[in-house]
Amino acid sequence: MAGSCFCCVALKPRYKRLVDNIFPTDPQDGLVKSNMEKLLFYALSTPEKLDRIGEYLAQRVNRDIHRHRRIGFVFLAMDALDQLLVACHAQAINLFVESYLKMVQKLLEYDNVDLQILATSSFVKFTNIEEDTPSYHRRYDFFVSRFSAMCHCDEVSESDRLKIRTAGLRGIQGVVRKTVSDELQVNIWESVHMDKIVPSLLYNMHDPRMTDEDDNATESFYISSDSLEPESPRNEDDPALVAATTFRDLVCRASFGSIKSVLKPVLVHLDLHKLWVPNDFAIKCFKIIMYSIQAKYSYLVLQMLMSHLDTHQKSEPMIKANIIDVLFQTVLIAAGGSVGPSVLEVFDTLLRHLRVSVDSKYEEAEKTEMERKFQEVIINTIGEFANNLPDYQKIDTMMFVLGKLPQKTNHEDYGTPPIDIQLQNMLLKTLLKVATKYQTVVMMNAFPPEFLIPLLRMSQVEEPALRLIVQDILHTLIDRHGNTQKLKNVCMLKDLSELTIETTPRQDIMFMKKNGNHFYHHLYENIEMNSNHVENFEALYCTMALILVELGSSDIIVDLCRLALDVQHMVCTNNHLPITHKCAIHGLLAAYLNLLCHLMSIPAFSEHVNQVLESRSQEASFLLPEFAFNRKNKPSSYPIDFTLRENWLFSQKAIAESLQNSGHDTAGLDVPFSLRPLGIGDTSDMTHSTSDIHSVNLDFDSTNGSPTVPKVSLVEANKKIKMWEPLHSHSTC
């Protein structure tokens, strides 16, 4: 009988005998080292036997699995397989790998935690091996599905649950590493795979059982892999951290064509699990994405978020607000040059949602408040987005926003209700937010004609609150030295040391010579409006004072005086203005000319202004800003008889003489603002295309105009002005 057994053993093929000899009697002793070396030598010498060695080891593993007491030999067989994989790189290894993967699949299917972890560990080692020959037919569909299922393990035992989830996450990481580096492998970026991989990672990153302290402790790790030491036990054992590492590795490896395959399951997961409210986890996810993705693809993330926002048009305002908040945080991370050519598309989407939000009407106060917060989030996001743009694109952005403002046309009667005051208010606030991110250096760059003229048109709307926002925009763009806050209140400045005043650059002087009339006419018509409040007069004074401080020079002093005198003439001849407005305008002019005489230092001019101010102080204090802008005034505080004496008013003759004696040309001082500058009054072309605005910006004073633009005669211009005049009939009383 014994001899018979010996003959059977002797008849076994050599590779089987070598495989049998590596196993000890007791699995606790480990593989027989000398015999393992013989098996490795045999496999390297005869690589064509590798597939048979693999098949035989698979048979042994399959047999030992079903013998529950021989689990230890399964571990030894897998150890032997790992050593063979590492040692052999021959062309025949592909057949051996097929046997190996079947064995790993068998272990993963078996309902034993230790065997599943063993199989995963072996598979991860296999994925780290660089094969010499490609595999055209190998597929990993089962492993993606199985590892994803392990990531969702819900075992009762917490230790087993953590082990299986961590093993599944490492398995996914191995699959990604093995497939993305070889174009001939299965395309792991297909949606059928990403729809399993990405939700599995996010599920473990967002563990509901994690406390706030744990969440804060891992947040820094989500952003940077260097925040924890590699040997940290938390880094090895915590599924949330392993998932974050795997997710970051996945995003980092994504190319232009595959990044959307990663982002789409993220957005779907956040929707299905209702993780937009609150949006802490969503922000963390997109921080990982933005810090991991290649910078040149950052704009794709923004595009995906914008498109996803469109799908939520009918969702609750809080959901939309939180999605935009995520976009806001994403924009903060995105580099200035990474937004790509689609920057206006982003603004267009945000403004479209702003308009939809403004049009939404709710009876519930709570929903109305949520919509208001949503609108504020949009405005702040646009502002931060613009902050990452170069200055020239910030101006383009402001022009784009301005083009979205609803405008009246020639066919609309100004007596009709406003088109949509709330929408105009939101868009102007958006424009103001962008303006705060712009740093003015040269006025001609801050106020190109395509932007200046539509903005000044917008300053003449009927709603006082909208005009006030336009003035704030002008203050933000004109003020380069932080003087706005010091000029907010209308008062008689005695000491100019608090103001920052520098010599006006030559470029700005030329800008004012060309465009000054647009500003002056805008101020004139704004001051004349019956609907002004005290805040409007204060804002108009601030605009006039900023023009004086930032752009004033001896070259335009005559125009600045002409503005004051023309406004004074208007208020004296307009019988329809209420007495409160008349006092406010006279007080505004007093403060303005007082500032002008301090800046220009023309003795005769200063003497005349001081004489008028002294007369008013003694006889007509209601014409000074201290009275006119006192919010405690009552109707009885104002005089019943508003007859003005000559010595209370600024004399055009005295001002002209003082300027002429100081060497200024005063020929234009007596020309009133009766004609509107071309380009200001025409609202019919206020425009969704800024290229047409040049057609109404006609310069009569310039003798060096472009030969390609025909000159318009003054007769034709007057005809146009008469056509435009009814459009602003509300401005004159």
Side-chain angles (χ1 to χ4, degrees):
M1 189 70 179
S4 165
C5 292
F6 174 78
C7 291
C8 289
V9 173
L11 291 174
K12 277 186 176 183
R14 185 182 179 191
Y15 72 88
K16 288 187 177 182
R17 296 199 305 274
L18 291 172
V19 170
D20 290 338
N21 291 338
I22 65 175
F23 293 98
T25 305
D26 184 359
Q28 299 290 336
D29 297 336
L31 293 172
V32 179
K33 185 177 181 180
S34 58
N35 292 337
M36 187 65 213
E37 291 175 353
K38 292 178 182 179
L39 178 61
L40 289 173
F41 179 77
Y42 177 78
L44 290 170
S45 303
T46 55
E48 66 275 6
K49 298 293 184 179
L50 268 174
D51 58 327
R52 297 186 181 183
I53 294 173
E55 289 179 3
Y56 185 58
L57 278 169
Q59 291 175 8
R60 285 190 61 103
V61 169
N62 192 38
R63 181 186 63 196
D64 292 336
I65 285 176
H66 295 288
R67 298 178 182 180
H68 296 288
R69 296 182 180 179
R70 296 178 62 86
I71 296 296
F73 288 101
V74 177
F75 281 83
L76 295 181
M78 294 305 298
D79 187 16
L81 281 169
D82 292 342
Q83 293 188 43
L84 285 169
L85 280 172
V86 173
C88 301
H89 293 271
Q91 187 173 1
I93 197 174
N94 280 332
L95 296 176
F96 173 69
V97 169
E98 294 302 321
S99 300
Y100 164 78
L101 292 178
K102 289 180 181 178
M103 197 180 316
V104 173
Q105 180 176 339
K106 186 70 177 179
L107 294 178
L108 289 173
E109 290 175 339
Y110 194 66
D111 189 17
N112 183 291
V113 175
D114 294 332
L115 291 183
Q116 291 179 13
I117 295 174
L118 171 66
T120 305
S121 177
S122 177
F123 181 81
V124 171
K125 293 177 183 177
F126 160 69
T127 58
N128 289 322
I129 297 174
E130 295 184 5
E131 300 180 49
D132 294 339
T133 55
S135 173
Y136 300 96
H137 60 280
R138 192 183 304 158
R139 299 190 64 83
Y140 296 92
D141 297 24
F142 167 81
F143 296 99
V144 171
S145 299
R146 183 56 187 163
F147 289 138
S148 298
M150 292 170 64
C151 292
H152 292 82
C153 174
D154 200 18
E155 288 285 340
V156 177
S157 172
E158 183 178 0
S159 60
D160 289 346
R161 181 172 64 246
L162 294 179
K163 288 179 182 178
I164 294 177
R165 286 191 182 184
T166 303
L169 292 166
R170 296 197 184 284
I172 288 177
Q173 190 176 28
V175 172
V176 173
R177 185 186 302 115
K178 189 68 175 176
T179 54
V180 298
S181 59
D182 189 353
E183 296 181 357
L184 299 176
Q185 297 280 7
V186 63
N187 185 7
I188 199 67
W189 302 110
E190 293 178 354
S191 60
V192 66
H193 300 308
M194 286 293 110
D195 289 345
K196 298 174 183 177
I197 292 175
V198 174
S200 301
L201 300 177
L202 298 179
Y203 178 77
N204 285 273
M205 288 165 57
H206 181 252
D207 190 346
R209 288 177 289 269
M210 185 179 293
T211 64
D212 292 338
E213 293 181 1
D214 294 333
D215 190 55
N216 293 333
T218 58
E219 181 176 358
S220 59
F221 181 81
Y222 283 160
I223 298 174
S224 173
S225 59
D226 299 331
S227 56
L228 291 179
E229 295 296 331
E231 63 272 10
S232 169
R234 184 181 182 86
N235 190 5
E236 294 292 333
D237 301 333
D238 190 346
L241 298 181
V242 177
T245 304
T246 306
F247 185 57
R248 186 169 49 247
D249 185 49
L250 180 68
V251 175
C252 185
R253 295 172 183 270
S255 62
F256 175 82
S258 57
I259 188 62
K260 292 185 178 181
S261 301
V262 179
L263 294 177
K264 185 177 179 180
V266 174
L267 297 170
V268 172
H269 181 85
L270 295 173
D271 283 342
L272 294 178
H273 293 268
K274 300 180 179 179
L275 296 175
W276 292 114
V277 182
N279 63 351
D280 297 338
F281 177 69
I283 291 175
K284 291 176 185 176
C285 288
F286 279 91
K287 280 185 177 180
I288 292 178
I289 293 170
M290 294 305 296
Y291 282 116
S292 304
I293 197 173
Q294 300 180 49
K296 58 185 177 182
Y297 301 146
S298 295
Y299 75 96
L300 291 174
V301 181
L302 304 178
Q303 281 185 340
M304 288 288 288
L305 275 170
M306 303 302 299
S307 299
H308 192 67
L309 180 62
D310 288 339
T311 65
H312 282 273
Q313 278 195 357
K314 297 183 179 180
S315 299
E316 293 291 328
M318 185 59 68
I319 295 177
K320 295 188 291 184
N322 284 358
I323 293 176
I324 292 187
D325 186 35
V326 173
L327 179 65
F328 173 79
Q329 299 295 332
T330 304
V331 168
L332 292 180
I333 300 173
S338 69
V339 292
S342 60
V343 56
L344 292 182
E345 179 185 346
V346 174
F347 288 122
D348 186 50
T349 303
L350 289 174
L351 292 174
R352 186 171 65 252
H353 282 277
L354 181 61
R355 180 161 196 157
V356 171
S357 176
V358 170
D359 290 341
S360 301
K361 306 297 180 184
Y362 297 101
E363 294 181 359
E364 300 89 345
E366 182 180 356
K367 287 190 175 180
T368 302
E369 179 64 17
M370 291 170 63
E371 284 289 355
R372 187 189 62 79
K373 291 181 179 179
F374 172 60
Q375 294 160 11
E376 290 179 357
V377 170
I378 292 180
I379 293 173
N380 290 332
T381 302
I382 291 177
E384 288 303 326
F385 205 126
N387 193 37
N388 282 336
L389 298 175
D391 281 347
Y392 73 91
Q393 281 194 328
K394 292 174 185 175
I395 292 295
D396 290 341
T397 301
M398 288 189 280
M399 291 166 56
F400 183 77
V401 175
L402 194 58
K404 295 292 181 180
L405 283 162
Q407 299 287 329
K408 294 182 182 294
T409 67
N410 287 336
H411 305 289
E412 291 180 302
D413 183 7
Y414 267 82
T416 59
I419 297 176
D420 197 332
I421 293 176
Q422 188 179 2
L423 177 60
Q424 291 178 327
N425 184 60
M426 288 293 108
L427 290 176
L428 284 174
K429 285 183 178 179
T430 304
L431 186 58
L432 177 60
K433 189 71 175 181
V434 178
T436 59
K437 307 298 180 181
Y438 180 80
Q439 183 61 45
T440 302
V441 178
V442 180
M443 291 298 166
M444 68 175 62
N445 294 337
F447 293 105
E450 301 88 342
F451 174 62
L452 174 63
I453 295 175
L455 181 64
L456 295 183
R457 285 200 199 110
M458 202 62 214
S459 73
Q460 296 170 355
V461 296
E462 296 175 345
E463 184 63 27
L466 300 184
R467 300 201 301 270
L468 191 60
I469 299 175
V470 175
Q471 297 303 320
D472 288 338
I473 295 170
L474 291 173
H475 300 165
T476 303
L477 296 176
I478 295 175
D479 186 14
R480 291 175 292 195
H481 300 96
N483 291 319
T484 299
Q485 292 302 321
K486 304 165 189 175
L487 297 171
K488 278 287 186 182
N489 296 322
V490 185
C491 61
M492 309 296 291
L493 289 176
K494 302 297 183 182
D495 183 10
L496 302 186
S497 60
E498 295 182 357
L499 298 177
T500 303
I501 303 173
E502 295 182 358
T503 304
T504 305
R506 185 65 183 170
Q507 288 175 304
D508 291 346
I509 296 174
M510 299 303 297
F511 169 80
M512 286 303 294
K513 284 185 175 180
K514 182 177 181 181
N515 299 284
N517 280 339
H518 295 310
F519 282 103
Y520 306 145
H521 183 80
H522 137 76
L523 292 167
Y524 177 88
E525 288 208 345
N526 269 264
I527 292 173
E528 189 181 20
M529 288 185 173
N530 281 334
S531 58
N532 281 329
H533 299 157
V534 62
E535 293 82 5
N536 294 97
F537 286 119
E538 289 176 337
L540 288 166
Y541 167 75
C542 186
T543 304
M544 295 170 66
L546 284 172
I547 291 175
L548 189 57
V549 171
E550 294 286 343
L551 303 170
S553 68
S554 58
D555 298 78
I556 62 172
I557 187 174
V558 174
D559 292 331
L560 298 175
C561 293
R562 174 191 169 202
L563 170 64
L565 293 172
D566 211 23
V567 171
Q568 179 179 261
H569 176 74
M570 178 272 297
V571 72
C572 290
T573 57
N574 190 333
N575 297 324
H576 298 282
L577 283 176
I579 190 171
T580 53
H581 284 47
K582 291 184 176 183
C583 290
I585 295 172
H586 280 293
L588 182 154
L589 293 177
Y592 174 71
L593 289 174
N594 173 70
L595 178 62
L596 179 59
C597 70
H598 279 85
L599 290 173
M600 294 306 161
S601 300
I602 300 175
F605 179 82
S606 300
E607 182 181 356
H608 171 69
V609 170
N610 290 330
Q611 286 177 354
V612 174
L613 296 179
E614 182 64 25
S615 298
R616 290 186 180 184
S617 176
Q618 295 178 0
E619 304 171 3
S621 61
F622 55 87
L623 300 181
L624 294 176
E626 288 78 7
F627 173 89
F629 290 89
N630 185 353
R631 286 174 167 79
K632 296 181 181 180
N633 286 345
K634 298 178 181 179
S636 59
S637 304
Y638 293 89
I640 299 175
D641 182 15
F642 198 73
T643 303
L644 300 180
R645 300 179 184 176
E646 186 176 350
N647 62 321
W648 296 349
L649 300 176
F650 299 101
S651 169
Q652 178 177 328
K653 180 179 179 182
I655 291 177
E657 289 179 356
S658 62
L659 293 177
Q660 192 171 8
N661 292 336
S662 62
H664 293 87
D665 182 7
T666 60
L669 190 63
D670 56 350
V671 179
F673 285 104
S674 58
L675 296 183
R676 182 176 292 107
L678 293 182
I680 291 293
D682 183 9
T683 58
S684 61
D685 283 336
M686 174 82 189
T687 163
H688 299 290
S689 171
T690 57
S691 60
D692 295 331
I693 298 178
H694 284 295
S695 62
V696 295
N697 184 25
L698 305 175
D699 185 6
F700 298 116
D701 297 330
S702 173
T703 58
N704 297 318
S706 172
T708 61
V709 180
K711 291 293 181 180
V712 179
S713 68
L714 289 176
V715 175
E716 293 174 349
N718 285 328
K719 288 181 180 179
K720 289 188 177 182
I721 292 168
K722 291 178 181 178
M723 292 171 60
W724 294 336
E725 197 68 41
L727 293 176
H728 286 266
S729 59
H730 71 292
S731 300
T732 57
C733 301

